[in-house]
Amino acid sequence: MKRGGFLKRKTWWPRSNKFGNVLTDYKGAIYDSKAEAMYAMWLDSEQRKGRIKSWKRQVYVPFKVNGELICSYNCDFEVTFKDNH
């Protein structure tokens, strides 16, 4: 052990996630977890069946009050159903 008691990590990559999520590739897009990628697969299947109109991933949503930005949020998915809700 060196002076100061600090040990160097042998490797720094990949850094583990606090929740144990594993980055997952689906159709060329990298999702933050397997569950998120599986949800994207399910959305694709529902779109092929005609139950949903469209979906987008990682949508930026700003929250404004009186024209001033208070905060923002990046939602994982935005889904539009056939009846436009």
Side-chain angles (χ1 to χ4, degrees), residues 11-61:
T11 60
W12 62 273
W13 187 262
R15 189 171 181 179
S16 63
N17 188 318
K18 154 176 150 175
F19 299 108
N21 296 347
V22 177
L23 294 178
T24 306
D25 181 18
Y26 173 65
K27 286 191 171 182
I30 303 295
Y31 291 90
D32 291 332
S33 67
K34 287 181 185 178
E36 194 174 320
M38 293 294 288
Y39 189 69
M41 286 183 207
W42 181 79
L43 287 172
D44 277 341
S45 71
E46 293 297 302
Q47 190 172 13
R48 281 192 302 270
K49 293 175 188 174
R51 294 181 182 159
I52 65 171
K53 193 176 197 179
S54 66
W55 64 274
K56 299 178 200 170
R57 65 181 298 257
Q58 297 297 322
V59 178
Y60 173 77
V61 181

Side-chain angles (χ1 to χ4, degrees), residues 53-54 79-85:
K53 193 176 197 179
S54 66
V79 180
T80 306
F81 292 90
K82 290 186 80 165
D83 59 356
N84 290 325
H85 80 279

Side-chain angles (χ1 to χ4, degrees), residues 58-70:
Q58 297 297 322
V59 178
Y60 173 77
V61 181
F63 293 101
K64 295 182 179 182
V65 175
N66 297 329
E68 185 178 338
L69 180 68
I70 302 301

